[in-house]
Amino acid sequence: MIATDAMAASPSPKIRTQLVADRETLMRIFIRPESDASRQTLVKYMDQILFGLHEFLTRHVGVTQEISLKELSKRFTDTHIGQHPERKLADVITDLIENIAPHAVNVASPYFVGHMTSALPFFMVHLKTIVAALNQNVIKLETSKVVSIIEKQVLAKIHRVIFQKDDAFYLKYVQNPHTTLGCFVEDGTLANVSALWVARNALLAPHNNFRGVEAEGLAVAYRAYDIDRLVVLVSRLGHYSLKKACGVLGIGNQNLIPIDVDTNNRMDIHHLKKVVAALHTNTPQTRILAVVGIAGTTETGSVDPLGAIADICHEHGVHFHVDAAWGGPVLMSEKYRHLLSGIERADSVTIDGHKQFYMPMTCGMVYFNNPDLPDAVEYHAGYVIRQGSVDLGRKSLSGSREASSLILDSTLKIMGTRGYGLLIEHGIDTAHEFADEIRKRPLFELTTPPELNILTYRIHPPAAKERMAGPHDAATWNKRLNAITRSVQQLQREAGKSFVSRTTLRGNNAADMERVVFRCVIMNPMTTISILREILDEQENIYHQLDIPLESSTL
Ligand SMILES: *Cc1c(COP(=O)(O)O)cnc(C)c1O
């Protein structure tokens, strides 16, 4: 039973009555807060959240000093659920805001440039509230009606941005109950799983007496097709969700084969061709299930040469999936959409709504070039999703789910492509400015220049640059640089003013030096070049305060 003040049994303020859960109070919690006091508490906080979100977050979220996870977790060890309500609604809300929120992370801060999670346009909270209040379940028409229809429309709108088919195409498919231009799923991970699921079932489709991989499983499917292995090819910068996908789909995550990247962190097409050719000659019973091109790698924001990958896929009849979880919305910018050219030739595309569409957590989407392809994953159930129904749950990995489409559709109306274009352009342009600033400062080395709005750099003092030129001690110096960048990143995070994340860049060969770098993701429109300069200043200060500055240390 949840605790709410509607559960308070006695109206008398004098006697501190125990809170009880009974039938009468249970009915009330479905309707309204009982007392004026609790209503006041709700209004007080909701008013701030609804109309002063930015200020509210600055004042309440992530404002405490760093406290270790171990310390924090000691406070949360009681595993009993009270039989009767423990607290009134007002108290619970106050606790959430005054005691929990300060230990959460203020991802909306313009100084928080470490991850793909950032500030939201304030109206997202309003839209999310409306979606929660309507509580539609888009799995089927009987629990969503017009919302399912709007979902098909917004899927077609984004499909059009990606694939740019003609009017006749969209008129034919926008509300076609038998076809699927795309699906909303939980997140980018499940979007990637969905795309490979569809590709797998389309490849190992029913033929002769074989009823298809979905029905009979991989062992039978491999025999039916006379193969012994499926593989998926992606650059070595592929997101680990693809490994999960290969695991879940029974392909085996060892069979996700990493392709080398070039000096710009894009898939090396020569290496891709070599691997494809080698697979054909050396292992004729291996089939390539899909090649995945990345439009915005998670670590460096690089975009694979999508057109060249499309050529190879078409030549070999292989499914071409583009993981544009991060970079998809770049298509909304007239200035930068060319960076993703070739995406329109993909068979399937992943895009995350909660990344560069600036939607609240979480919203994944997968799109299909051919709206008949998802037939390969069609399901029916007697009580819902009946044969011949037009329910959206028929060809989707998700079961019950919220109407994220209403949030996206409303936002597209509020922003227009130009609005999103401006956000995207701010991120990319600021990243380029930031890269120039890093190049200017002798203490730093830009390790991956931005292609989109992500870049990496590290601390690399002039003295070390000279020393590393000598072949003998490059590895030792590199280790030292790694330790320094790691320390500075940690100290900056602990100081609590700004946050830049950290990752390790690895070369194509096992023998290549691993470089620990700062990773900076610029998506908050309030993150300006002067804020980024402050972040660099702070890193310089931290470095100079380290106990053993690099210059004075000897090997
Ligand atoms: C974020 C991301 C994913 C995974 O998305 P989630 O929504 O976190 O599951 C997949 N691929 C790329 C390239 C990403 O950036």
Side-chain angles (χ1 to χ4, degrees):
M1 179 54 52
I2 53 166
T4 118
D5 77 337
M7 298 269 180
S10 163
S12 162
K14 283 185 197 137
I15 315 155
R16 173 118 178 86
T17 49
Q18 219 194 328
L19 304 173
V20 289
D22 61 18
R23 175 88 192 147
E24 188 190 341
T25 49
L26 189 63
M27 293 315 288
R28 271 197 237 116
I29 63 169
F30 277 82
I31 298 167
R32 62 170 61 87
E34 187 189 47
S35 69
D36 226 36
S38 96
R39 190 194 170 93
Q40 292 302 325
T41 308
L42 275 175
V43 169
K44 176 176 126 197
Y45 287 125
M46 289 314 285
D47 191 67
Q48 294 174 38
I49 290 171
L50 293 177
F51 302 106
L53 184 63
H54 182 70
E55 245 182 87
F56 173 83
L57 296 174
T58 316
R59 195 149 14 96
H60 291 283
V61 182
V63 290
T64 46
Q65 293 297 315
E66 175 95 346
I67 160 169
S68 75
L69 279 179
K70 212 167 149 191
E71 280 304 308
L72 258 186
S73 54
K74 278 189 199 146
R75 298 184 195 169
F76 299 89
T77 52
D78 183 2
T79 52
H80 297 92
I81 302 171
Q83 189 188 7
H84 282 287
E86 287 169 36
R87 286 171 163 196
K88 296 180 173 188
L89 172 62
D91 297 340
V92 170
I93 301 257
T94 306
D95 185 50
L96 266 180
I97 289 167
E98 293 183 357
N99 301 322
I100 309 291
H103 293 293
V105 176
N106 184 6
V107 298
S109 161
Y111 290 83
F112 184 92
V113 291
H115 287 301
M116 295 172 154
T117 305
S118 162
L120 299 177
F122 81 96
F123 58 77
M124 289 295 180
V125 180
H126 299 229
L127 296 174
K128 185 90 178 176
T129 308
I130 294 170
V131 166
L134 293 177
N135 198 31
Q136 303 293 292
N137 185 350
V138 203
I139 191 175
K140 54 183 181 282
L141 277 168
E142 287 172 3
T143 49
S144 61
K145 206 168 172 181
V146 72
V147 179
S148 283
I149 295 171
I150 293 172
E151 178 161 317
K152 284 188 82 86
Q153 184 189 20
V154 72
L155 285 165
K157 288 180 184 177
I158 302 293
H159 189 284
R160 186 171 199 136
V161 171
I162 303 169
F163 297 103
Q164 299 188 295
K165 310 272 190 195
D166 59 18
D167 286 342
F169 177 92
Y170 290 106
L171 274 177
K172 176 168 177 201
Y173 290 111
V174 58
Q175 292 299 345
N176 188 327
H178 306 294
T179 58
T180 303
L181 294 169
C183 304
F184 281 84
V185 288
E186 180 88 10
D187 55 15
T189 298
L190 290 193
N192 281 339
V193 172
S194 301
L196 293 182
W197 183 34
V198 167
R200 186 197 71 168
N201 289 10
L203 183 67
L204 304 177
H207 82 125
N208 301 334
N209 291 330
F210 173 62
R211 288 168 43 234
V213 63
E214 189 72 15
E216 299 205 39
L218 273 178
V220 182
Y222 283 5
R223 283 198 295 278
Y225 278 89
D226 193 26
I227 59 178
D228 63 11
R229 182 167 78 130
L230 288 181
V231 295
V232 175
L233 311 185
V234 65
S235 101
R236 27 177 308 107
L237 290 171
H239 190 269
Y240 69 98
S241 55
L242 294 165
K243 278 196 177 170
K244 291 186 189 170
C246 289
V248 169
L249 293 171
I251 292 157
N253 64 26
Q254 285 182 34
N255 295 316
L256 180 69
I257 298 182
I259 305 296
D260 286 350
V261 293
D262 63 19
T263 51
N264 294 314
N265 291 298
R266 300 179 198 149
M267 185 188 273
D268 177 346
I269 291 299
H270 298 294
H271 190 232
L272 174 65
K273 283 184 182 162
K274 246 167 77 179
V275 170
V276 170
L279 285 167
H280 280 306
T281 2
N282 305 339
T283 53
Q285 281 180 294
T286 293
R287 283 285 286 277
I288 301 172
L289 170 61
V291 179
V292 181
I294 314 167
T297 61
T298 315
E299 277 181 292
T300 63
S302 325
V303 182
D304 285 336
L306 303 178
I309 301 174
D311 289 341
I312 294 170
C313 286
H314 289 205
E315 182 189 335
H316 294 273
V318 168
H319 186 101
F320 176 31
H321 176 63
V322 172
D323 183 354
W326 176 251
V330 172
L331 294 169
M332 306 293 257
S333 158
E334 283 303 322
K335 184 171 170 192
Y336 290 119
R337 78 163 279 141
H338 69 273
L339 294 176
L340 268 58
S341 78
I343 195 172
E344 71 285 352
R345 296 171 63 198
D347 294 298
S348 54
V349 173
T350 286
I351 301 186
D352 262 343
H354 55 266
K355 290 181 178 169
Q356 298 209 79
F357 275 121
Y358 294 82
M359 290 168 66
M361 293 286 148
T362 59
C363 171
M365 294 174 276
V366 58
Y367 290 90
F368 298 97
N369 195 329
N370 170 0
D372 293 318
L373 199 65
D375 289 357
V377 296
E378 185 159 358
Y379 269 79
H380 297 284
Y383 62 99
V384 23
I385 329 270
R386 280 175 283 267
Q387 197 83 31
S389 82
V390 299
D391 299 330
L392 296 177
R394 278 178 314 156
K395 301 177 198 172
S396 156
L397 189 56
S398 312
S400 296
R401 61 189 171 80
E402 69 173 356
S404 311
S405 52
L406 281 186
I407 301 181
L408 181 58
D409 191 49
S410 309
T411 306
L412 291 172
K413 288 172 184 156
I414 295 168
M415 305 275 289
T417 54
R418 188 71 202 117
Y420 273 119
L422 285 171
L423 282 172
I424 295 290
E425 287 156 25
H426 168 85
I428 299 179
D429 293 342
T430 309
H432 282 111
E433 263 184 279
F434 187 40
D436 289 340
E437 182 69 27
I438 292 167
R439 285 191 189 97
K440 270 189 230 153
R441 298 198 185 202
L443 185 61
F444 296 102
E445 175 192 19
L446 186 67
T447 40
T448 58
E451 187 175 357
L452 302 181
N453 47 359
I454 300 176
L455 58 79
T456 69
Y457 62 104
R458 66 172 175 171
I459 294 191
H460 199 165
K465 282 175 191 150
E466 281 163 31
R467 296 296 293 267
M468 282 186 77
H472 310 299
D473 39 37
T476 317
W477 276 99
N478 187 63
K479 262 193 197 139
R480 185 162 287 171
L481 294 177
N482 286 350
I484 288 172
T485 297
R486 201 178 289 124
S487 301
V488 171
Q489 191 270 346
Q490 275 166 3
L491 290 168
Q492 186 173 38
R493 188 190 64 205
E494 282 164 22
K497 182 169 179 262
S498 21
F499 176 75
V500 177
S501 63
R502 188 179 79 216
T503 189
T504 302
L505 299 180
R506 296 181 170 84
N508 289 326
N509 305 307
D512 292 341
M513 281 189 285
E514 293 186 349
R515 290 176 299 167
V516 173
V517 295
F518 301 113
R519 168 172 166 270
C520 183
V521 182
I522 300 167
M523 67 181 298
N524 187 332
M526 286 170 286
T527 300
T528 55
I529 187 67
S530 65
I531 285 179
L532 294 166
R533 282 196 198 105
E534 281 178 54
I535 291 176
L536 289 182
D537 292 345
E538 193 186 8
Q539 290 176 336
E540 286 179 350
N541 286 336
I542 295 172
Y543 167 73
H544 289 302
Q545 282 163 23
L546 282 182
D547 280 349
I548 11 165
L550 189 84
E551 284 91 338
S552 68
S553 59
T554 47
L555 275 171

